[in-house]
Amino acid sequence: MRLFKEIYSSSPENLGYKNGLAISYSKLGGLYESLGDHQQALSHYQERLRLGQEIYSSSPENLGYKNGLAISHAKLATYYQALGHVEEAVEQFTQSRKHFFELWKTTEGKIIQFAFYFALNSYDLSNIIKQLLVDQAYPLDQVTTITEQTKAMRREGFDAIQPLHNAGLLKENKKWLFEKLSDATWYDF
C-alpha cells in the first residue's frame, strides 16, 4: 500500500496510478474483512469508493473506470448487507445497478460481465426490498408501488441475463443466477 501511495503522490494527475491505489484499498478491505476487522474493512471499502468516484468524474467516458466504480458500490453494498446495514446496502446496490445498467446499454449487451452484474445487482436488491416489504418496513400507502417496482427490477435482471443463457455464454458457476431470476414463485408476495 505504501508503494502505491508513493507512486500516486509522485504523479497525482495520473489516473492509472490513482486507479491502482483504489484497487489496493479494495483488496485491503477484503483482507480486513476476512480477518474480521469490520472497521478497517469498511474504511478501506469507503476509500476505494471515494477514489473511484474521483477517477470516474475525471474521465467519465472511460468504461473501465465506470466499471471500477460500479464494482466499488457492489462491494460496499455486499459488506453493508453482511453487517445488517440494510439502508446502506440498498443505496449502494442501487448505485451499482445503475452503473452496470449504463455499461450494459452503452456496450449494447456485448460485454457479458456488464449484463451479468446488472442482473446480479437486480437479484440482490430485489431480494432485500422484498424482505423489507414482507417485514412491513415501508409505509402502507407505498407498498403497492414499491412491490411493482421491485418486481419490474427483477424482470429487468432476467431480461439482461436471458440472452446470455440462451446463447450458452454463462459459465457453470453463473447459471444459478438465471435459475433464480426465472423462478416465477418469487413473485408471489
Side-chain angles (χ1 to χ4, degrees):
M1 179 60 124
R2 184 176 50 103
L3 178 62
F4 269 112
K5 284 182 177 181
E6 287 175 16
I7 292 170
Y8 170 65
S9 66
S10 72
S11 186
E13 70 284 347
N14 186 314
L15 292 180
Y17 293 167
K18 192 173 200 175
N19 194 46
L21 179 62
I23 291 168
S24 295
Y25 272 106
S26 182
K27 293 195 180 293
L28 280 172
L31 177 64
Y32 282 118
E33 181 178 355
S34 69
L35 294 172
D37 189 337
H38 301 298
Q39 187 55 42
Q40 283 295 323
L42 185 58
S43 173
H44 282 78
Y45 286 145
Q46 289 171 333
E47 183 63 11
R48 167 50 175 128
L49 178 61
R50 187 190 69 73
L51 289 169
Q53 290 167 327
E54 286 179 11
I55 293 165
Y56 174 67
S57 66
S58 296
S59 186
E61 70 286 349
N62 186 309
L63 298 182
Y65 294 153
K66 187 171 199 163
N67 181 47
L69 180 59
I71 291 170
S72 296
H73 281 293
K75 278 190 178 276
L76 200 50
T78 303
Y79 194 61
Y80 278 134
Q81 185 179 16
L83 294 176
H85 300 171
V86 177
E87 288 179 28
E88 292 90 343
V90 167
E91 175 59 31
Q92 295 302 318
F93 273 130
T94 300
Q95 291 301 314
S96 180
R97 183 177 181 274
K98 178 181 103 55
H99 291 306
F100 277 122
F101 177 79
E102 292 166 357
L103 287 163
W104 174 50
K105 289 301 184 181
T106 298
T107 60
E108 299 173 351
K110 294 178 183 160
I111 298 182
I112 294 169
Q113 172 186 340
F114 298 153
F116 178 81
Y117 284 110
F118 170 71
L120 181 61
N121 280 214
S122 298
Y123 169 80
D124 288 332
L125 189 54
S126 63
N127 283 340
I128 292 170
I129 295 173
K130 178 182 178 180
Q131 188 59 53
L132 290 170
L133 286 163
V134 169
D135 293 345
Q136 300 176 346
Y138 293 107
L140 201 52
D141 63 329
Q142 297 176 10
V143 168
T144 301
T145 302
I146 292 170
T147 300
E148 293 309 311
Q149 290 172 342
T150 304
K151 289 178 179 181
M153 176 193 324
R154 183 105 170 177
R155 280 188 221 93
E156 289 171 351
F158 176 78
D159 291 344
I161 204 167
Q162 184 178 26
L164 302 178
H165 177 266
N166 293 348
L169 297 173
L170 286 177
K171 293 181 180 180
E172 281 302 315
N173 66 343
K174 301 212 186 298
K175 289 182 179 178
W176 68 270
L177 182 59
F178 175 79
E179 294 168 11
K180 293 288 188 178
L181 288 172
S182 60
D183 178 8
T185 62
W186 184 90
Y187 295 91
D188 299 334
F189 67 95

